[in-house]
Amino acid sequence: MYKIDKLNELAKVVAEKREYNAKLEPRRMTAEEKDVLLKTFHPDYREDQFSVLEVGENKGGKVPTQLAELLQGKSRINPADVDLSNPDYDTDVLIIGGGGAGSSCAIEADNAGVKAMIVTKLRIGDANTMMAEGGIQAADKPNDSPAIHYVDAFGGGHFAAKPELVKKLVTEAPDAIRWLNELGVEFDKDADGTMITTHGGGTSRKRMHAAKDYSGAEIMRTLRDEVLNRGIPVIDFTSAIEIILDENGKASGAVLMNMETKELMVARAKTVVIATGGAGRMHYQGFPTSNHYGATADGLVLGYRAGAKLRDVDTLQYHPTGTGYPEQIFGALVTEKVRSLGAKLVNIDGEVFMNPLETRDVTASSIIRECTARDKGIETSLGKAVWLDTPMIDLIHGEGTIEKRIPAMLRMFGKYGIDIRKEPILVFPTLHYQNGGIDITDKNETKVENLFAAGEVAGGIHGRNRLMGNSLLDVIVFGRNAGIYAAAKAKETATPENLTLEHINKFNAELEEAGVNTGKVSPMLLPHYARDVK
């Protein structure tokens, strides 16, 4: 039980109205209402939290201030101090990042018969993929189609995505599910083997495939095992800190740094894939995050300094239901599956204030509105939050549903004496996803030849908002494609010679000419939480 008497009293208000609220069908907002809501309350519209870039391919573009400091920061190395003549590693495809996209990429590159190598600053699987809970979308049921999935995804992203990327995402989704199933992912299935699917926010059909509420962990477990069983080299606890080019400006490897010894190494490759994930540990605008420890926007910095272009990096996804209490799990993800199973968001007066299956940006903005302009939030030691009435799930679907369908949520809150079968939980938006990223083509190519990108670090797939279940789908579809296309390019590319880091010197000169000195060294690599002791 909650240990704060006031919260216990407020939770009783929710319980008293539970049966009534469970039967409510709140209307969906109109497009005009959503637009006004987002512009008024969504963090992406806070102009004072963004800066304009003064150098690089996106000069004149707007990005979060903390990201601008890193994109325009100084390199961790002096190019003159790095010996490029005798590489420590030689491979065909160098994959930077060991999450779902990087692992899928490595498997397909291996299938293509080339040498692939993963380098990751933590361990393979230490990634946002591991932390995804709700499921993965695919239109593979008789009442659905990739065309309907396309409309949902494109519209959910405010029509800002690249159409060719959305098309690839949705048309290759059924095969992605088949591929994962054959690799051994334990999806939820009926007794006859039919996959169980549910709704997600912004979906017009039940197309969410899940493994209870630890879908990402199950997918990552399977991919990691496949990579290791194939004997694909994985260099753990080693960060890529700069992309290496050849004399023609083509990506030809990376400078690596051992995270423990700080030793520098050189990896030479015919093609390079950036699959470094997101940026939640940047804590934009002071928000908590659901992201893993290493999500510090490294890939954006690596790509940008090498000459790649970014897109939509001024738009972030604040997952509407991060844990608002207790402190030990503040900001941790409360999967959208909780709402897809019927739990509704409730304010301090016990009122259901929105449809539970609006898109994430609309839902997050609605919660922020309740806690600010309407003053209907619940005060905790961590700030204001709203109720997510989880006991409503067992009320609607029958006792045991929570235990069966969302056991990870039951276990996470249970550790702190909160039984989500009997009492509602407190939630508030948490920094969850980098909607934009490195601009890619439908072949995962960046502006820099032989440099590819896949997964959350890539932009253009989701536009200005992402639907639930399309991120796990993204890392599989575009991760696999990155492996296929990078391998094909590697086969027609000779082993690069005349490796260079001259682009770092040019970037530094640009910074000096523009009078930019952010005082930051980048990439960040890991967040800093230690308190300074005086």
Side-chain angles (χ1 to χ4, degrees):
M1 295 289 290
Y2 290 122
K3 299 185 185 301
I4 302 177
D5 292 340
K6 179 64 174 176
L7 292 182
N8 283 329
E9 289 301 314
L10 292 172
K12 289 178 182 178
V13 176
V14 181
E16 289 168 1
K17 298 186 177 183
R18 183 165 295 134
E19 287 199 22
Y20 172 78
N21 284 339
K23 297 173 184 176
L24 277 182
E25 289 293 335
R27 71 173 182 84
R28 302 293 283 265
M29 294 184 194
T30 65
E32 292 75 16
E33 288 172 328
K34 292 178 183 179
D35 190 49
V36 170
L37 178 74
L38 292 172
K39 288 180 178 177
T40 307
F41 296 104
H42 197 278
D44 280 356
Y45 290 86
R46 289 190 58 186
E47 292 294 332
D48 62 327
Q49 297 295 318
F50 295 85
S51 297
V52 175
L53 292 173
E54 297 181 58
V55 300
E57 288 296 316
N58 287 76
K59 182 178 179 179
K62 183 178 72 170
V63 301
T65 297
Q66 298 98 314
L67 179 59
E69 291 175 346
L70 294 185
L71 291 174
Q72 299 179 139
K74 292 293 179 69
S75 175
R76 288 183 167 271
I77 58 174
N78 178 350
D81 295 338
V82 182
D83 181 8
L84 301 175
S85 64
N86 187 27
D88 301 272
Y89 300 100
D90 241 318
T91 190
D92 294 324
V93 180
L94 175 65
I95 302 156
I96 304 171
S103 298
S104 298
C105 176
I107 293 166
E108 290 293 6
D110 188 64
N111 282 338
V114 302
K115 289 191 298 182
M117 182 179 92
I118 293 174
V119 56
T120 179
K121 69 181 173 186
L122 297 174
R123 301 164 301 180
I124 183 172
D126 288 339
N128 283 345
T129 303
M130 191 75 179
M131 307 178 84
E133 296 167 342
I136 176 171
Q137 286 201 47
D140 58 1
K141 292 291 182 73
N143 69 331
D144 202 359
S145 71
I148 299 173
H149 188 180
Y150 180 97
V151 171
D152 288 348
F154 197 42
H158 302 287
F159 308 98
K162 298 176 83 167
E164 64 272 25
L165 299 186
V166 185
K167 179 181 178 182
K168 185 174 281 281
L169 180 77
V170 301
T171 56
E172 296 187 13
D175 188 59
I177 296 293
R178 178 199 59 76
W179 186 70
L180 289 172
N181 190 52
E182 290 177 356
L183 283 178
V185 171
E186 296 286 348
F187 286 111
D188 296 338
K189 298 174 183 176
D190 286 326
D192 64 358
T194 301
M195 289 196 189
I196 297 170
T197 52
T198 57
H199 270 300
T203 62
S204 58
R205 298 289 188 277
K206 292 182 178 181
R207 69 172 72 96
M208 204 69 56
H209 302 66
K212 302 215 170 17
D213 58 346
Y214 42 82
S215 305
E218 171 61 11
I219 289 172
M220 193 66 246
R221 174 196 68 81
T222 306
L223 294 174
R224 181 187 61 228
D225 286 354
E226 184 69 14
V227 168
L228 298 179
N229 289 339
R230 285 170 174 257
I232 298 170
V234 178
I235 314 301
D236 286 324
F237 297 112
T238 301
S239 288
I241 57 173
E242 290 294 350
I243 300 297
I244 296 171
L245 306 179
D246 69 5
E247 74 274 21
N248 297 313
K250 299 177 182 179
S252 302
V255 178
L256 312 180
M257 184 180 77
N258 183 294
M259 292 294 287
E260 296 173 303
T261 67
K262 309 306 178 187
E263 174 191 4
L264 295 182
M265 295 160 286
V266 170
R268 179 170 60 183
K270 296 175 180 177
T271 57
V272 179
V273 180
I274 297 178
T276 52
R281 292 287 166 170
M282 298 285 287
H283 293 289
Y284 297 129
Q285 302 189 34
F287 273 81
T289 186
S290 63
N291 284 192
H292 82 106
Y293 189 57
T296 49
D298 297 351
L300 300 184
V301 175
L302 293 176
Y304 195 64
R305 199 136 58 209
K309 190 172 184 179
L310 310 179
R311 62 169 291 140
D312 302 326
V313 283
D314 61 323
T315 171
L316 287 302
Q317 182 164 93
Y318 297 83
H319 195 292
T321 54
T323 305
Y325 179 93
E327 185 174 358
Q328 297 94 324
I329 51 174
F330 183 53
L333 186 64
V334 176
T335 173
E336 193 168 305
K337 191 173 183 179
V338 175
R339 286 181 289 130
S340 73
L341 288 170
K344 292 188 175 74
L345 292 160
V346 179
N347 64 24
I348 195 170
D349 297 327
E351 301 169 337
V352 174
F353 56 88
M354 62 169 297
N355 188 291
L357 292 180
E358 294 284 8
T359 56
R360 286 178 173 177
D361 54 351
V362 169
T363 306
S365 299
S366 297
I367 293 171
I368 293 171
R369 178 197 63 196
E370 292 298 298
C371 292
T372 55
R374 296 191 67 197
D375 197 23
K376 297 279 188 177
I378 296 90
E379 191 73 52
T380 76
S381 58
L382 301 165
K384 290 192 175 182
V386 298
W387 297 112
L388 181 57
D389 194 8
T390 48
M392 199 179 282
I393 295 171
D394 278 1
L395 177 65
I396 293 170
H397 300 287
E399 191 173 338
T401 303
I402 288 175
E403 190 170 3
K404 180 180 179 182
R405 302 294 295 278
I406 48 172
M409 291 292 97
L410 181 64
R411 185 171 60 251
M412 181 171 79
F413 283 93
K415 288 180 180 178
Y416 305 100
I418 301 167
D419 188 344
I420 68 172
R421 296 168 297 187
K422 299 177 180 178
E423 49 194 316
I425 58 178
L426 287 162
V427 296
F428 189 79
T430 185
L431 185 52
H432 184 59
Y433 193 82
Q434 178 178 275
N435 288 327
I438 299 174
D439 194 11
I440 61 169
T441 69
D442 60 357
K443 292 184 178 180
N444 290 79
E445 302 158 316
T446 72
K447 187 178 179 183
V448 179
E449 191 170 353
N450 291 359
L451 181 65
F452 300 77
E456 191 173 347
V457 76
I461 300 161
H462 305 290
R464 302 191 67 80
N465 180 60
R466 178 182 62 76
L467 299 188
M468 169 192 178
N470 277 351
S471 59
L472 283 177
L473 178 59
D474 172 1
V475 300
I476 303 303
V477 168
F478 288 93
R480 292 180 69 192
N481 277 301
I484 292 167
Y485 294 125
K489 191 66 185 290
K491 287 179 179 179
E492 62 184 44
T493 301
T495 299
E497 299 180 3
N498 301 320
L499 304 183
T500 177
L501 293 170
E502 182 56 29
H503 60 285
I504 298 174
N505 292 327
K506 290 180 180 178
F507 194 83
N508 287 340
E510 242 190 295
L511 290 173
E512 190 171 345
E513 185 178 347
V516 177
N517 183 0
T518 67
K520 299 289 184 180
V521 173
S522 60
M524 178 188 285
L525 301 183
L526 293 175
H528 179 73
Y529 292 116
R531 294 175 181 172
D532 294 325
V533 179
K534 294 183 180 179

